[in-house]
Amino acid sequence: MKRNAAAFGAGALFAVGLALSGMTRPSKVVGFLDLAGDWDASLAFVMMGAIAVHFVAYRVVLRRPAPLFDGRFHLPTRKDIDLRLVLGAALFGVGWGLGGYCPGPGLVSAAAGSPGALVFVVGMTAGMLIEQAVARALPRRE
Amino acid sequence: MHDFTPIPALIGGAIIGLAASLLLLTHGKVAGISGLYGSLLRQGTSDRAFRFWFLAGLAAMGMLVRLTWPAAFASAWSASLPVTLLAGLIVGFGTQLGNGCTSGHGVCGLSRLSVRSLVATLTFMGTGFATVFVVRHLLGGAR
């Protein structure tokens, strides 16, 4: 119960941050990505604010032996730079620039009933399922 | 820069960082939205409950913000629905392939000083800039 409430609270807080920062407005996102046009630097400040807080809090939290509701921390351990990482990130940037939504703001705006975001989330869900099916079909060389 | 809003951006960003820290403190997990959502779609993912409740909180707050502050979703520009669908497909495929998006790689990964996340972030920012340049300045604002 407390576990799920904490996850719900973290998700709700995350959405507040996205909405306040302007990430749920595709024109702000594309304004930031439009270096050659009427550049809107605002989203750089979103990253600065988020990293400033999480950089410090991450280090404070990790002094604990374990999180509050789990036996251990679950953090990524991979260090290799592979083609999947670079190609995946490159594709993500293309889609981000085309639609003005990344996954978090897309989900928040879809829940809020924005028609564009609903369409975006339908596409995103399909794209994820396709990638997962491809990954299952192709043997992994790792 | 007609729409430059550094103060709400900074505060909103700080709240995003705080939310990610809360998930780390309580569940020991990375607050990467594409990872949380994508894993929920996959069969056989362990630990589904916290993923579901995190995304439920995200969605519930989206509805609440719509009711109390609809301007948060006001956009002076939007892509056409076919382009938006295509954008979603590419974002979904790309974030699963590359294990993350703006939150997982951009916020959480960079805060951890992860080299993988730095490479991913520089790559998606780069292709994001390039895509908007092509669409707005070479194709003349095609939607």
Side-chain angles (χ1 to χ4, degrees):
Chain A
M1 180 61 208
K2 259 196 274 182
R3 267 182 66 91
N4 294 341
F8 186 90
L13 193 63
F14 203 102
V16 170
L18 290 175
L20 191 60
S21 63
M23 298 287 294
T24 48
R25 296 165 56 198
S27 56
K28 289 290 280 183
V29 174
V30 172
F32 170 70
L33 293 175
D34 190 10
L35 285 178
D38 189 15
W39 191 49
D40 177 0
S42 307
L43 293 204
F45 289 79
V46 182
M47 285 296 266
M48 278 191 264
I51 293 174
V53 168
H54 195 57
F55 181 86
V56 175
Y58 168 79
R59 280 152 184 82
V60 173
V61 168
L62 282 202
R63 285 189 200 157
R64 300 176 53 88
L68 291 175
F69 305 129
D70 201 295
R72 65 180 183 91
F73 289 99
H74 304 265
L75 295 170
T77 51
R78 286 180 60 178
K79 300 246 186 287
D80 58 309
I81 309 300
D82 60 348
L83 186 62
R84 286 170 54 96
L85 177 78
V86 175
L87 188 61
L91 285 171
F92 164 48
V94 171
W96 192 33
L98 280 178
Y101 285 116
C102 53
L107 289 171
V108 172
S109 306
S114 301
L118 286 164
V119 169
F120 174 84
V121 168
V122 168
M124 179 173 86
T125 306
M128 287 179 167
L129 291 170
I130 292 169
E131 196 284 331
Q132 291 171 9
V134 171
R136 273 195 303 275
L138 294 177
R140 297 278 284 271
R141 297 170 304 250
E142 283 177 31
Chain B
M1 290 198 276
H2 59 287
D3 198 19
F4 184 49
T5 52
I7 302 301
L10 205 57
I11 297 170
I15 294 174
I16 293 170
L18 205 59
S21 307
L22 182 60
L23 190 71
L24 185 73
L25 173 67
T26 56
H27 294 264
K29 301 274 188 179
V30 172
I33 308 299
S34 63
L36 293 172
Y37 184 68
S39 305
L40 211 51
L41 296 175
R42 191 179 287 129
Q43 301 284 314
T45 299
S46 61
D47 229 349
R48 301 182 81 87
F50 97 91
R51 296 173 204 277
F52 173 82
W53 286 107
F54 182 93
L55 294 173
L58 196 82
M61 187 54 74
M63 294 176 210
L64 189 64
V65 172
R66 165 70 83 193
L67 293 175
T68 53
W69 184 43
F73 303 99
S75 184
W77 168 92
S78 59
S80 70
L81 292 184
V83 170
T84 304
L85 185 69
L86 178 69
L89 269 171
I90 300 172
V91 166
F93 191 93
T95 52
Q96 289 296 289
L97 188 67
N99 298 111
C101 59
T102 5
S103 49
H105 282 311
V107 175
C108 298
L110 291 189
S111 296
R112 290 199 330 272
L113 303 179
S114 155
V115 176
R116 268 174 69 84
S117 290
L118 178 65
V119 169
T121 304
L122 291 176
T123 304
F124 69 67
M125 299 279 286
T127 57
F129 287 133
T131 300
V132 172
F133 181 77
V134 169
V135 171
R136 285 222 163 158
H137 301 286
L138 298 185
L139 303 180
R143 293 182 173 187

